[in-house]
Amino acid sequence: MTWRTAGRIAVLLAAVPLLCVQAPLLVAGHDVAVGPAIALAVALTAAVPLALGRPRLAALLAVLASGAQMSVTAAGGVGGWPWAVAPMLTVLLVMVVVGVTGGWRVALLALLATLAQTTAFAVLAAPWRDVATSLANLALWGSLATMAAALGVLLGRFTDVADALRFERTVSAEAQARRVVIEERARVARELHDVIAHNMSLVTVQARSAPARVPGLTPEAAAEFEQIAERASDTLAQMRGVLTVLRTEPGQSGRAPVPTLGQVTELFDAVRESGQGLDVDWRVTDDAGVDEEVGAAAYRILQEALSNVRRHAPAAPITVEVAVDPSDVPGQLTLDVSNPLERPLADGPAGHGLVGMGERAAAVGGAVESGELVPGEYVVRARLPLRARAGGSRGQEVR
């Protein structure tokens, strides 16, 4: 239980006995009828829970209810004093709660209103011989009411400070959690560098030095080694981009870890250079409005789909269709990679590549489906929004 909840419960518990004793005291001590006494007690006590949420309305209700109570008790009061004890304590409780929830302005207005009201009833009801007693009671009441209002305002300031401290603790905890994540990402980046960067550098060096180390290489073989070196170098550059992002805090700038949609021509060139047939139908204009995150996902999906074909059907021709349909609202980027099937598809779990494609599409709000979507052809089909959004779903991922 929080201290704020405990305070509310304490206020409500304090209001219960005040409600219970007000009506009997008004009936026994001031000859008020039972019905009006109960009504006055309920009206005045209702201001206590109301002050927890609506301090201005509670202050108004307390002033009106106490004025009604004093109008029927002033004539019978001792020394012309218009207050009964229980209603007076109830108003003091209301003053404290109003000070906490409404601030010093509402508390001051409530204090001035009840002082003016009490002064008016005390002066009008006091016999000439008891003016001094009435003024002394009035001074006592003013002191008590002022203390109650001041106490409420101080408690309100205390709650504000406590809330601010709790907010600061929350912010500090979130900052600490972010630091832990950043440190973990930096650790992963270091491990990636240690495991991959060294070996990729060796591949690049060995591929480029192969023509000098291996005698009798044909020009075609030398060109293949150079392509291997370039691919390894490109992979190393992309990995450095990933490491930069892993080391970059959220909100800060860093190098892009993946290429953009405009760089997919490099993938197509690599396929053609390998000797595999490729037919590309490109229907994406420069002003299509594909954002960077979607473009990066599209690049990786195309990269994985082309790699799958080269791995599973290296002799099959590949057909790629990339298009933005202007009739779609708010717009959709479609990617189709297909190749003829050499044999019927075997049942089995989805490979890591297809799972990764589906996850990349889902991350931007799109979906991927794969399989024999066209008779006699294996198709990987992705549908991505032009603007990344959360909540996408994955389609079929079987191969």
Side-chain angles (χ1 to χ4, degrees), residues 109-135:
L109 291 176
L111 174 63
L112 295 178
T114 190
L115 287 178
Q117 186 181 59
T118 304
T119 301
F121 278 102
V123 171
L124 293 176
W128 287 108
R129 63 181 180 278
D130 290 331
V131 171
T133 302
S134 183
L135 291 178

Side-chain angles (χ1 to χ4, degrees), residues 34-261:
V34 175
I38 294 176
L40 290 172
V42 171
L44 186 56
T45 309
V48 176
L50 185 61
L52 294 172
R54 303 290 296 276
R56 294 177 181 272
L57 187 59
L60 178 61
L61 177 60
V63 171
L64 295 177
S66 61
Q69 181 265 320
M70 284 188 283
S71 66
V72 298
T73 59
V78 178
W81 183 239
W83 278 107
V85 176
M88 183 174 64
L89 295 177
T90 304
V91 171
L92 291 176
L93 179 60
V94 172
M95 295 291 294
V96 173
V97 180
V98 165
V100 173
T101 59
W104 69 269
R105 290 184 177 84
V106 179
L108 179 60
L109 291 176
L111 174 63
L112 295 178
T114 190
L115 287 178
Q117 186 181 59
T118 304
T119 301
F121 278 102
V123 171
L124 293 176
W128 287 108
R129 63 181 180 278
D130 290 331
V131 171
T133 302
S134 183
L135 291 178
N137 290 334
L138 182 61
L140 177 61
W141 166 249
S143 300
L144 293 175
T146 302
M147 291 175 60
L151 177 62
V153 172
L154 290 176
L155 289 175
R157 293 297 178 87
F158 172 79
T159 59
D160 292 340
V161 172
D163 289 340
L165 290 176
R166 185 167 57 254
F167 176 76
E168 289 296 330
R169 285 195 295 268
T170 302
V171 171
S172 298
E174 293 175 352
Q176 177 63 26
R178 285 196 298 269
R179 283 194 294 271
V180 171
V181 171
I182 292 169
E183 291 173 359
E184 179 62 18
R185 289 167 65 179
R187 186 188 66 80
V188 172
R190 289 192 297 270
E191 291 184 1
L192 280 174
H193 184 274
D194 294 342
V195 172
I196 299 175
H198 178 68
N199 291 332
M200 293 303 298
S201 299
L202 289 178
V203 170
T204 303
V205 172
Q206 289 177 343
R208 284 181 173 156
S209 63
R213 293 184 293 103
V214 180
L217 283 180
T218 64
E220 291 79 8
E224 286 290 336
F225 276 113
E226 181 61 27
Q227 289 181 8
I228 293 173
E230 290 179 359
R231 295 287 176 266
S233 179
D234 291 343
T235 301
L236 187 58
Q238 292 182 22
M239 190 196 67
R240 289 196 184 103
V242 173
L243 299 184
T244 300
V245 171
L246 286 174
R247 292 189 178 107
T248 302
E249 295 188 27
Q252 295 181 347
S253 60
R255 291 190 301 173
V258 292
T260 62
L261 183 62

Side-chain angles (χ1 to χ4, degrees), residues 263-278:
Q263 295 174 271
V264 296
T265 54
E266 299 174 0
L267 300 177
F268 302 152
D269 293 340
V271 173
R272 293 189 179 101
E273 290 171 2
S274 68
Q276 191 164 13
L278 176 66

